[in-house]
Amino acid sequence: MHLIAFAIRTLPAEVKNNWQRSLIIILCLAVGIASVAAVKIYTDSALSYFTGNVKEFVGADITVQLPGELTEDQENFLNNQTLGIITYVENYNQVAFNPFNRQKNMPVQVTVIDPEVYPLYGSMELADGSSAQALLDEPQAALVSASLFEQLELKMDNLVLVGNVPYIVRGILKETSVPDGFMGRIYTKTPPQEGVGTLGSRFAYIKLDEGKDPEIAKKEILEFFEPGGVSTYVEVSSQISRSAKVLGNVALIASLASLLLGGLGVSNVAQVISRQKLKQSALMKCVGGRTSQITLIIVIQIAFIGLIGVLCGFVLGWALTGVLPGLLKDLVSYNIPIKPNPNVFLQVSLLGLLVTVLFSVLPVLRFTKIRPLAIYRDDNPERLLSPESKLTSFLVIILLAGIFGLFIGLILDSLLAGIIFTFATLILTAIALGIIKLIIKLVLYLPIYFSTPAKMARRSLFRQSGRTAAAVLALSFGISAIVLISFIQTDVLSFMHGLRDDQNTPNIFALLDQQNGPPVESIVEFMEQDSRIESFSTMKLLTSSLEIVNDRLYDPTTASDSRSAILAMAFLIAAADPENMPTELNYVEGEPLNSDGQIVIEEHVAKSLGLKIGDRLGLRVGTDRIYLNLVGFYSNMQTGVNVTSSSYATKASLEGLSPEFSTEFLFARTKAGVSGEEVISSLRAAYPNMGFAFDVGQLINLFDTVFSAISRFMQFLGFFALASGLIILAGTMVLTKWEKRRETALIRCLGGTTKDVISVQLWENGVLSILSAGIGITFANILSMVINRYVLDIDFVFNKLTNTMAFVLVLLAVTAVGAVSLWDVLHERPLSVLRNE
Amino acid sequence: MEILRTIELGKTYRDGEKETEVLRGINLEIDEGEFVAIAGPSGSGKSTLLGLLAGLDRPTTGQVFIGETEITTLPESRLAKIRGRMLGFVFQSFNLIPTLTALENIELPMILNKKPDPQRARELLDLVGLSHRSRHYPSQLSGGEQQRVAIARALVCDPPIILADEPTGNLDSKNSQTVIDLLLSLNSEKQKTIVLVTHDMDFAAKAQRIVHINDGRIS
Ligand SMILES: Nc1ncnc2c1ncn2[C@@H]1O[C@H](COP(=O)(O)OP(=O)(O)OP(=O)(O)O)[C@@H](O)[C@H]1O
Ligand SMILES: [Mg+2]
């Protein structure tokens, strides 16, 4: 206790004496903590926003999904219930048109509500902030989502058609929960025409009377309704919490990287500080101090300086949360109010303190183990350091990592995950540092250091190789994270765009509803006559269940996992023409489909069902059964999109089976330069009752925005690692400044010019930045190649532009740091330096 | 009653192949309350002997007793405790901690020995005549003042033994005199046992006994 008080009391003088070192500690932690705090504050605010307003989001205390037809009991229950206020909400999936230009259309979800009761919580708000309820009193009034309003070029107080029913646009909704641009939304009190379009779902929304417990109420409801369709706001809230936590944790782990790199910087400074205190430590031992006490004093002082860094970092992180909504706006369309709560502050501060302490204990301990006799050695007290005990260091590292792991585990809600994360990071960092040190040494042995400045730079780099390694690691980690993400993003997107633009891949998929929609023949005729279509085909898709394999009953319960059991019970077969397959299949085993009575199956599906080439399969379709011979496996993974079917057979093989088990699909490819959406719009304009249809291009655009948002966010975190690297580098330069000064003074005294001094620095910076950028970029390229090849299964393209830009970025940043640190060295008089030493 | 005792004490430094025998066969007994001066030419092993007496280093042969305790085999943590309780050090190069004020430098041993008492630190600063300098940092004090602070620091835990290694080595004659007078009064008024290493035969002469060391032996 007295020690702690003493350490704190003497801290100001310590900081004043070593303000540059203190500044490095503060910066290292501030950058690391800022990234953690930004993520943590944001995810926490989002979580409390969603869970805090869960009733407004759900719109009720309990929602009950209602079956198509209510039984008498169910109807009686709903009519006579005493739980609270009840209102019904119906969703229709429909297509909306601009009545004056039917080419302007898009799928919508029409939500039919009772405006007198709905919403049970909160109020419906319009984009302009006004309340919407009153507008809906009019029977044909509709509130539309912004995307619908824009895409259909609607006008306020003008008409919008849903199927064939006209509505009047009275307002634009404030926010929607459905991704915009893909499906519009309409709120109204009058249902669209029955029969056309599908009734998506129907719900009863219940607001419980004061004091009613949602769980008890749910039990009461479950006596009449299926459990899957009943959910309380408590359940929704915990569901949101769970998924938000998972996402938050992933982001948190990513953001931890720069904090840990900051820790490496702190450990550098701790080493320099305690090395400088060797004689003081020896003195303290002479007056009765023990190693642990001296270590404690130094570590506490570092921790307190660190605390300032943590506070700065927290504030910086808080400020940066202002940037996050911009980065993530394509993912999170809600305007989340940022409110850092004390709990987050406490967690983040503790984390920062823990990192400071963990990263400084070992380097400090190494020097406080000095023997007291060192008090007599003025020249070289380091000779009296007890030899480092490898075992003790190892045990201390394990212990410290364990503590850190437990803490991370607490934050992540899984102790095991925390421990595994920590030890994996530890091992990887150790390996990476080792390799980088080796590379630095290798580069320093290259025969390129001929001029005197080059030789001097080489010597100084040798001396600091340990500390420099941390800077190179952080820099290369940061740049490789940024570059890697950009590579993957470019490659994945260019693959997706290639798919979109590839003339052999269909870009229009449509489900042809044979009960309510236009007949298949009309659609075929339309496609044949439309000059924008390159090719098209229709395909019947059958839902069957796998019953017999080689004359023996197939028992789905013996399947390897539950997924296979479901696959077997809902086995999809597409009817195709072997001459004109809707999509090119990639055969990996056996033979292509070429005659009736044969079937080809997607490789992974077949494997998980345990099927082999040559098997004779018995499949049940309704009341019928068909037999097909398995002749080939194809792999869908090549194309990455599994929108077709898990198996194919010829049309003739599937003829005459129970029609209610089959669905008709349309696949089409537009001519180059024509978007799928255009054609779909025309189709809808011609056949307003057409079923579900979508354009691959649109899907890819949506994927683009979401994927880009995630990439931007990860790169944002990568920049923190890069910043950590620069700070560590600046730190290394400050810590070795007196050496630099001495060197500079020497060069000058020997008749060297400022130019010589600068060229030494240029050499040093050059080697360092080329190393960092080189290692980082090489690593990113290799990793990207591996990920593309083995995970994503797409081609790797060497990206000259990104690589060059990253290289130049690192080069400039390192040179800038070097220039700043050289500034005051250059402005000192050589003699005064030498005299001071 | 002797408070410090060595039996056949020897020290050999080994630096790779090279061996230097610095001390050999030292048998020394110092009584409680005695003022002993250790004199000898430079390099004769005086500091090495003092270091062995304080357990700062381990002897190659022989034993050292502080009171009843044989310290040569004790672990470092026990040694630290004994140093804190029994010994006070004064060095030639004052060895004050630059980031601590005069008062804090004096308090330091008490804090490390877990009995902080700011009042006592002030009293000692008063004793060495520096109460007006309590908030000064070492760099703001003269050499003589720094050495007086160091003496106050040596006394703060009230150890029975003071080991002073050329405490006047870096001081002018006036300051040297003050320091020696201070040590003498500590011996006569507070019955401290004092071991003073010095080159200056005038100062050595003021001790009750002079131990001459030559070539690592008592002569
Ligand atoms: N760690 C060591 N390794 C090798 N030799 C050492 C070591 N420490 C001291 N010596 C040698 O031991 C001898 C005695 O040194 P010591 O410091 O005890 O002398 P001293 O009598 O105190 O001299 P001075 O009056 O100059 O302080 C010297 O010759 C010195 O070179
Ligand atoms: Mg000496």
Side-chain angles (χ1 to χ4, degrees):
Chain A
M1 227 28 245
H2 302 304
L3 273 184
I4 297 174
F6 177 78
I8 296 171
R9 204 169 37 153
T10 57
L11 185 62
E14 203 66 57
V15 171
K16 220 167 100 192
N17 232 33
N18 273 328
W19 68 269
Q20 283 178 322
R21 284 166 205 177
S22 310
L23 189 67
I24 297 168
I25 295 182
I26 290 172
L27 286 177
C28 280
L29 283 164
V31 169
I33 287 292
S35 86
V36 175
V39 167
K40 197 77 185 136
I41 292 174
Y42 185 76
T43 50
D44 207 77
S45 301
L47 186 65
S48 72
Y49 173 66
F50 287 122
T51 53
N53 296 310
V54 66
K55 288 185 184 180
E56 280 81 357
F57 283 112
V58 174
D61 287 320
I62 299 184
T63 59
V64 184
Q65 179 159 23
L66 304 177
E69 294 277 335
L70 288 178
T71 64
E72 210 166 305
D73 282 348
Q74 288 173 332
E75 211 163 336
N76 283 338
F77 170 74
L78 290 174
N79 288 337
N80 304 321
Q81 57 84 23
T82 54
L83 298 168
I85 308 170
I86 191 164
T87 184
Y88 297 94
V89 174
E90 291 170 4
N91 289 319
Y92 294 82
N93 290 323
Q94 271 282 12
V95 178
F97 298 92
N98 180 331
F100 308 105
N101 178 2
R102 279 179 159 261
Q103 294 286 340
K104 301 277 170 206
N105 56 49
M106 93 188 275
V108 280
Q109 186 179 50
V110 182
T111 305
V112 179
I113 55 165
D114 173 0
E116 276 172 29
V117 197
Y118 184 93
L120 295 171
Y121 285 101
S123 62
M124 288 183 75
E125 270 182 74
L126 294 183
D128 59 15
S130 64
S131 169
Q133 253 95 353
L135 297 175
L136 288 176
D137 283 348
E138 199 184 341
Q140 294 300 325
L143 304 178
V144 303
S145 63
S147 60
L148 185 71
F149 191 81
E150 280 162 25
Q151 221 153 309
L152 266 57
E153 295 173 6
L154 297 174
K155 291 198 183 71
M156 199 59 87
D157 301 322
N158 225 321
L159 292 182
V160 59
L161 278 180
V162 175
N164 287 323
V165 182
Y167 289 90
I168 304 164
V169 179
R170 289 297 190 200
I172 298 171
L173 290 162
K174 190 176 175 199
E175 283 164 341
T176 69
S177 51
V178 178
D180 270 18
F182 216 50
M183 190 179 231
R185 301 208 62 174
I186 292 183
Y187 277 79
T188 176
K189 93 185 213 189
T190 314
Q193 197 180 333
E194 293 270 355
V196 181
T198 44
L199 172 65
S201 44
R202 187 157 172 249
F203 293 91
Y205 280 30
I206 300 168
K207 180 183 190 175
L208 294 175
D209 286 341
E210 204 73 37
K212 282 243 163 68
D213 180 77
E215 280 311 304
I216 296 170
K218 183 179 174 179
K219 279 212 187 86
E220 216 171 297
I221 298 169
L222 284 183
E223 283 174 33
F224 299 93
F225 292 93
E226 295 284 316
V230 184
S231 62
T232 66
Y233 75 92
V234 184
E235 290 163 347
V236 174
S237 171
S238 72
Q239 235 164 39
I240 296 176
S241 305
R242 239 174 298 137
S243 37
K245 260 221 164 85
V246 170
L247 288 178
N249 284 349
V250 170
L252 187 70
I253 286 191
S255 67
L256 269 178
S258 39
L259 180 60
L260 293 178
L261 291 171
L264 284 181
V266 172
S267 127
N268 275 350
V269 182
Q271 183 169 347
V272 170
I273 288 181
S274 48
R275 171 189 244 139
Q276 199 206 26
K277 286 184 188 291
L278 268 181
K279 279 203 81 173
Q280 288 185 28
S281 303
L283 174 91
M284 292 205 219
K285 289 195 169 176
C286 288
V287 299
R290 275 172 288 129
T291 306
S292 56
Q293 293 178 307
I294 303 165
T295 311
L296 191 65
I297 292 179
I298 301 181
V299 169
I300 285 174
Q301 293 187 334
I302 292 177
F304 262 85
I305 299 170
L307 200 59
I308 302 172
V310 170
L311 295 180
C312 296
F314 191 83
V315 174
L316 185 63
W318 186 358
L320 281 172
T321 49
V323 182
L324 283 181
L327 285 178
L328 294 171
K329 70 171 185 298
D330 298 323
L331 281 183
V332 185
S333 56
Y334 296 99
N335 195 2
I336 295 168
I338 301 294
K339 279 193 222 114
N341 75 27
N343 212 348
V344 172
F345 176 70
L346 211 68
Q347 272 186 5
V348 171
S349 309
L350 266 176
L351 186 66
L353 264 186
L354 203 63
V355 166
T356 320
V357 171
L358 296 187
F359 277 86
S360 51
V361 162
L362 261 190
V364 171
L365 201 59
R366 192 167 122 60
F367 290 99
T368 48
K369 277 198 299 199
I370 185 77
R371 285 158 60 194
L373 193 64
I375 197 79
Y376 277 114
R377 308 246 65 118
D378 288 327
D379 46 336
N380 188 7
E382 276 181 50
R383 278 188 47 203
L384 287 178
L385 277 176
S386 345
E388 234 182 313
S389 153
K390 289 258 155 63
L391 184 69
T392 327
S393 315
F394 181 72
L395 290 179
V396 172
I397 288 178
I398 297 286
L399 182 77
L400 297 181
I403 297 173
F404 185 74
L406 287 178
F407 187 79
I408 295 294
L410 279 181
I411 295 186
L412 296 182
D413 267 342
S414 156
L415 290 187
L416 190 68
I419 299 264
I420 291 176
F421 165 76
T422 307
F423 279 93
T425 315
L426 186 74
I427 293 168
L428 286 178
T429 311
I431 294 175
L433 272 178
I435 294 177
I436 287 175
K437 265 187 220 176
L438 198 75
I439 295 178
I440 294 181
K441 291 260 158 77
L442 277 177
V443 168
L444 291 180
Y445 277 115
L446 287 179
I448 51 171
Y449 309 93
F450 296 122
S451 65
T452 317
K455 278 183 188 151
M456 292 189 76
R458 175 176 182 269
R459 239 207 9 234
S460 125
L461 284 172
F462 238 117
R463 216 171 28 228
Q464 323 160 17
S465 69
R467 258 170 278 155
T468 314
V472 174
L473 174 70
L475 281 173
S476 52
F477 181 84
I479 199 71
S480 91
I482 296 169
V483 174
L484 177 67
I485 289 161
S486 139
F487 283 163
I488 293 181
Q489 190 187 353
T490 319
D491 288 349
V492 167
L493 292 186
S494 80
F495 174 80
M496 295 301 253
H497 295 162
L499 204 66
R500 182 188 58 194
D501 303 335
D502 174 19
Q503 288 298 313
N504 291 323
T505 316
N507 63 342
I508 295 173
F509 291 88
L511 196 153
L512 305 178
D513 182 342
Q514 290 173 83
Q515 270 155 28
N516 301 312
V520 177
E521 296 75 47
S522 334
I523 301 285
V524 168
E525 198 178 330
F526 178 97
M527 296 307 274
E528 275 167 351
Q529 276 162 18
D530 196 315
S531 61
R532 294 169 298 179
I533 298 297
E534 172 82 33
S535 63
F536 78 97
S537 62
T538 59
M539 186 175 86
K540 198 190 317 186
L541 202 61
L542 232 68
T543 313
S544 69
S545 60
L546 181 61
E547 275 190 337
I548 290 172
V549 177
N550 296 334
D551 300 327
R552 303 177 71 169
L553 229 48
Y554 182 83
D555 180 2
T557 55
T558 63
S560 53
D561 51 40
S562 58
R563 202 181 84 97
S564 332
I566 295 169
L567 270 176
M569 283 187 286
F571 192 75
L572 295 179
I573 317 170
D577 176 2
E579 304 294 311
N580 179 23
M581 295 294 280
T583 163
E584 203 175 320
L585 298 184
N586 245 299
Y587 286 98
V588 289
E589 209 182 321
E591 286 161 21
L593 181 70
N594 60 23
S595 66
D596 299 345
Q598 290 183 337
I599 184 170
V600 292
I601 304 184
E602 204 281 321
E603 185 192 9
H604 297 87
V605 172
K607 293 266 157 74
S608 74
L609 289 171
L611 302 177
K612 299 180 304 298
I613 303 277
D615 280 348
R616 187 173 155 77
L617 311 180
L619 297 147
R620 170 162 299 278
V621 182
T623 51
D624 307 313
R625 181 187 289 158
I626 47 166
Y627 285 93
L628 295 169
N629 288 323
L630 177 52
V631 294
F633 291 159
Y634 61 90
S635 167
N636 247 339
M637 303 316 271
Q638 205 64 33
T639 57
V641 224
N642 190 358
V643 285
T644 54
S645 174
S646 47
S647 74
Y648 288 87
T650 61
K651 279 180 180 151
S653 317
L654 304 176
E655 214 58 58
L657 298 166
S658 327
E660 62 269 34
F661 289 89
S662 74
T663 329
E664 198 78 33
F665 281 89
L666 168 76
F667 295 85
R669 175 73 224 182
T670 53
K671 292 225 166 82
V674 181
S675 79
E677 207 191 336
E678 261 179 80
V679 176
I680 293 177
S681 288
S682 315
L683 256 174
R684 287 205 190 107
Y687 303 101
N689 55 348
M690 229 201 55
F692 175 76
F694 79 91
D695 164 29
V696 175
Q698 234 179 325
L699 190 70
I700 287 175
N701 289 346
L702 181 73
F703 178 82
D704 261 21
T705 45
V706 170
F707 195 66
S708 308
I710 296 174
S711 304
R712 269 200 306 274
F713 178 65
M714 298 306 274
Q715 282 176 326
F716 170 74
L717 294 179
F719 271 106
F720 279 94
L722 197 65
S724 294
L726 289 176
I727 290 170
I728 298 178
L729 188 67
T732 315
M733 289 178 178
V734 168
L735 295 178
T736 53
K737 200 172 214 161
W738 66 270
E739 288 174 8
K740 177 110 289 160
R741 280 203 188 125
R742 219 193 143 82
E743 203 168 66
T744 310
L746 257 167
I747 297 175
R748 291 222 167 138
C749 286
L750 295 174
T753 57
T754 305
K755 218 179 94 194
D756 294 322
V757 177
I758 291 176
S759 72
V760 173
Q761 188 67 28
L762 277 181
W763 265 93
E764 239 174 83
N765 280 333
V767 172
L768 273 186
S769 51
I770 290 173
L771 258 178
S772 313
I775 294 175
I777 291 170
T778 312
F779 182 70
N781 275 295
I782 293 175
L783 204 63
S784 154
M785 209 167 353
V786 170
I787 290 179
N788 282 1
R789 176 84 191 73
Y790 296 100
V791 182
L792 301 174
D793 212 355
I794 57 179
D795 288 333
F796 168 76
V797 186
F798 183 77
N799 191 328
K800 246 185 260 166
L801 184 70
T802 312
N803 276 311
T804 319
M805 264 168 41
F807 204 86
V808 172
L809 175 73
V810 175
L811 216 66
L812 286 180
V814 172
T815 313
V817 169
V820 171
S821 81
L822 195 62
W823 187 257
D824 52 334
V825 173
L826 276 178
H827 290 264
E828 259 177 55
R829 303 187 131 269
L831 259 180
S832 68
V833 173
L834 285 185
R835 206 178 286 140
N836 274 341
E837 288 296 322
Chain B
M1 250 294 278
E2 64 265 9
I3 195 162
L4 272 176
R5 185 157 61 98
T6 69
I7 301 173
E8 287 298 317
L9 194 63
K11 178 74 190 176
T12 304
Y13 284 112
R14 216 170 264 112
D15 192 3
E17 295 288 282
K18 212 177 71 208
E19 284 195 4
T20 341
E21 192 176 33
V22 181
L23 290 176
R24 76 194 99 120
I26 304 279
N27 289 299
L28 185 65
E29 287 180 7
I30 296 172
D31 284 339
E32 215 172 328
E34 211 181 349
F35 192 132
V36 176
I38 298 179
S42 181
S44 54
K46 306 182 295 292
S47 297
T48 308
L49 175 60
L50 214 61
L52 290 175
L53 288 178
L56 300 183
D57 202 1
R58 299 200 188 271
T60 320
T61 59
Q63 292 169 300
V64 178
F65 290 85
I66 297 182
E68 298 294 299
T69 325
E70 211 268 289
I71 63 161
T72 39
T73 54
L74 291 182
E76 182 52 42
S77 59
R78 286 283 310 279
L79 279 174
K81 216 177 225 165
I82 289 178
R83 282 195 290 266
R85 218 178 50 231
M86 302 289 288
L87 305 174
F89 283 92
V90 184
F91 302 98
Q92 175 175 354
S93 53
F94 328 119
N95 278 322
L96 297 178
I97 292 182
T99 51
L100 301 185
T101 60
L103 192 66
E104 285 166 345
N105 263 293
I106 297 173
E107 273 180 46
L108 180 65
M110 293 197 289
I111 285 160
L112 292 172
N113 291 299
K114 295 176 192 154
K115 36 189 175 190
D117 180 353
Q119 198 44 48
R120 178 161 172 80
R122 282 187 188 286
E123 280 168 28
L124 278 159
L125 203 58
D126 208 21
L127 180 82
V128 296
L130 288 172
S131 24
H132 57 297
R133 293 272 187 265
S134 66
R135 289 170 166 281
H136 284 57
Y137 286 95
S139 57
Q140 298 164 326
L141 297 173
S142 76
E145 286 171 333
Q146 287 190 46
Q147 196 60 304
R148 273 142 70 197
V149 172
I151 292 175
R153 180 180 65 190
L155 290 171
V156 77
C157 287
D158 202 16
I161 309 169
I162 307 280
L163 302 175
D165 194 345
E166 296 185 42
T168 58
N170 281 348
L171 301 178
D172 61 17
S173 59
K174 185 168 162 279
N175 275 310
S176 298
Q177 196 58 52
T178 319
V179 166
I180 294 297
D181 288 346
L182 199 54
L183 290 176
L184 281 169
S185 74
L186 286 174
N187 177 246
S188 58
E189 284 164 29
K190 308 221 155 150
Q191 283 76 48
K192 301 282 179 202
T193 309
I194 294 185
V195 182
L196 170 73
V197 171
T198 185
H199 276 116
D200 191 322
M201 288 318 285
D202 286 348
F203 291 142
K206 296 190 177 171
Q208 292 159 10
R209 175 153 67 105
I210 302 180
V211 176
H212 288 279
I213 302 224
N214 233 324
D215 260 351
R217 281 173 174 282
I218 296 182
S219 59

